[in-house]
Amino acid sequence: MAIQRKAVALISGGLDSMLAAKVIMEQGVHVEGINFYTGFCVEGHTHAIRKKDKAKPKRNNSLWVAEQLGIKLHIVDVIEEYKDVLINPKHGYGANLNPCLDCKVFMVNKAKQWIEENDFDFIITGEVIGQRPMSQRKDTMPVIAKESGADDRLLRPLCGKNLPATLPEKEGWIKREGLYDFSGRTRKPQMALAEQYGFTDYAQPAGGCCFLTDKNYSTKLVDLWTVRGHKEYELDDIMLLKVGRHIRPNKNFKMIVAREDGENKYLQGYKKSFVSMVSISHGGPVVLIDGTPSDTDLELAARITARYGQGRDADEVEVQVLQQGVEKSLHVKPLGKDEIPKEWYV
Ligand code: SF4
């Protein structure tokens, strides 16, 4: 009796990895999914907090993909290990702080370790030659296979016909004719294949699978590293970069101002670890202060906090400050609109 071959598919939550897994499932291979959680994933965090995307279903797209495919999904926390990938990328960054090539090498290497531990035969990714400028180029795709150590156990079903034969093909575990030859930035072949499989309502991420491709997010992360003088970060740091309006009036402190009720609630959860303030004489947002503000800085922060509340035109606003469990009130005049320089906005 033929041995049932098993493959693990890197599932990002997007269409390409979903199709790649399906193509191989169609060839009778047992497929399970693996999703790596770096802390920067766009999935199920800020879009669950903010109101603006309310029309969209709140779902974890990788879980949704696994459900659509009817496969088991392994979600692996790589937050700590990923720090070195982001802080010291051997191949550098893309247009923003996205270390896509190192990231792919890292993930495929993790998947390789996983298949060895779980007695699986090969790895599937949804990569397509020419789809992305950094990690999905004809010259960088072999780099991923080599540096990850996966070598010919790494199969890209959506463009496999354009690449040298991999072990699953050579061993006859799958048929090369059943692979595809997609290339370039066009999404049309993927959309046509999705239609053929009856997949609708799939996620369409704009820039990539994580916040590191986002210019504004990257600017905030650079600011964090610059003022700290080193590139370290904790999970809370990178989560908070996704939330609120960030204002840095001075090198020694930054304000995170909630933009809506969902963010107010989210920032409340951090009140014990940060200095926080809120206008109590008039309605206003929850504000966290990150850093080491002096009393003069707190006064300025209170005036900015008042500016973002309903008392912005009042002569005086009472702002409650909570610092290390001690509450105090500051009576301040809200800062005028033009008194907050543009450079303060991170
Ligand atoms: S977009 Fe983010 S998760 Fe995707 S490959 Fe690039 S760095 Fe990695």
Side-chain angles (χ1 to χ4, degrees):
M1 205 175 80
I3 299 170
Q4 169 69 66
R5 294 295 164 181
K6 295 187 281 187
V8 73
L10 264 68
I11 298 290
S12 65
L15 177 61
D16 293 4
S17 53
M18 183 183 192
L19 292 172
K22 181 71 176 172
V23 167
I24 298 307
M25 290 169 73
E26 292 284 289
Q27 296 217 24
V29 173
H30 171 82
V31 176
E32 294 187 12
I34 194 163
N35 173 265
F36 295 108
Y37 184 74
T38 63
F40 295 99
C41 312
V42 178
E43 295 297 295
H45 182 250
T46 36
H47 72 182
I49 298 172
R50 298 205 68 188
K51 221 171 27 198
K52 80 179 171 65
D53 296 329
K54 241 183 183 148
K56 287 193 201 158
K58 305 271 185 284
R59 68 184 189 200
N60 176 311
N61 283 314
S62 47
L63 282 171
W64 180 82
V65 163
E67 189 195 348
Q68 297 294 304
L69 294 170
I71 62 171
K72 197 167 171 180
L73 181 71
H74 306 269
I75 299 181
V76 182
D77 175 339
V78 292
I79 295 165
E80 281 304 313
E81 287 170 88
Y82 195 75
K83 287 180 180 173
D84 190 49
V85 178
L86 174 59
I87 293 171
N88 304 303
K90 185 175 149 194
H91 298 284
Y93 300 105
N96 294 296
L97 273 186
N98 48 310
C100 290
L101 189 47
D102 291 82
C103 176
K104 274 280 156 63
V105 169
F106 168 80
M107 288 185 182
V108 174
N109 174 263
K110 293 294 293 177
K112 181 193 158 249
Q113 291 172 29
W114 191 92
I115 63 168
E116 285 165 0
E117 283 157 17
N118 292 278
D119 201 19
F120 272 50
D121 300 294
F122 64 102
I123 301 159
I124 306 163
T125 68
E127 292 162 291
V128 168
I129 297 173
Q131 181 88 189
R132 293 211 188 277
M134 193 175 194
S135 56
Q136 300 188 33
R137 295 196 318 246
K138 189 136 193 160
D139 58 328
T140 55
M141 289 174 84
V143 173
I144 298 168
K146 188 164 183 289
E147 290 190 5
S148 65
D151 294 313
D152 63 355
R153 286 187 187 264
L154 174 60
L155 176 71
R156 285 97 165 199
L158 300 187
C159 62
K161 276 187 175 165
N162 292 331
L163 294 168
T166 57
L167 190 70
E169 295 154 81
K170 289 185 232 166
E171 293 291 329
W173 302 338
I174 59 137
K175 291 192 178 66
R176 190 169 171 85
E177 309 86 82
L179 304 179
Y180 289 85
D181 59 356
F182 299 169
S183 72
R185 294 185 73 88
T186 172
R187 308 284 302 150
K188 282 189 185 146
Q190 284 94 319
M191 284 154 84
L193 189 58
E195 198 177 335
Q196 197 181 308
Y197 286 139
F199 296 147
T200 52
D201 197 25
Y202 42 83
Q204 308 224 35
C209 24
C210 80
F211 268 100
L212 295 169
T213 57
D214 183 87
K215 190 172 184 307
N216 294 332
Y217 187 88
S218 297
T219 305
K220 286 184 213 158
L221 187 52
V222 168
D223 168 73
L224 186 98
W225 284 345
T226 307
V227 295
R228 288 187 183 174
H230 56 76
K231 281 182 162 187
E232 309 285 297
Y233 62 86
E234 296 304 323
L235 183 62
D236 279 345
D237 293 326
I238 60 173
M239 286 296 169
L240 284 169
L241 296 183
K242 300 175 187 174
V243 184
R245 185 179 276 116
H246 290 232
I247 304 170
R248 180 176 294 289
N250 219 323
K251 208 178 163 202
N252 61 319
F253 80 103
K254 176 177 82 169
M255 302 172 67
I256 305 172
V257 184
R259 290 168 295 188
E260 58 178 52
D261 204 39
E263 291 192 341
N264 266 336
K265 292 198 180 92
Y266 186 74
L267 294 186
Q268 297 263 17
Y270 285 90
K271 277 173 122 178
K272 282 203 176 120
S273 4
F274 288 83
V275 179
S276 66
M277 46 181 68
V278 65
S279 156
I280 47 171
S281 55
H282 303 74
V286 171
V287 176
L288 298 184
I289 315 284
D290 183 20
T292 50
S294 64
D295 285 349
T296 317
D297 294 331
L298 286 181
E299 179 96 16
L300 173 62
R303 293 188 66 198
I304 297 172
T305 299
R307 165 85 226 150
Y308 280 101
Q310 283 160 11
R312 63 181 65 90
D313 297 320
D315 289 332
E316 188 181 277
V317 169
E318 184 178 358
V319 175
Q320 188 182 61
V321 183
L322 181 63
Q323 188 170 22
Q324 288 170 343
V326 180
E327 269 180 16
K328 67 175 175 187
S329 278
L330 293 175
H331 293 263
V332 295
K333 181 167 172 48
L335 220 58
K337 193 175 171 214
D338 302 331
E339 289 180 282
I340 307 180
K342 275 203 194 88
E343 318 76 84
W344 287 8
Y345 292 94
V346 183

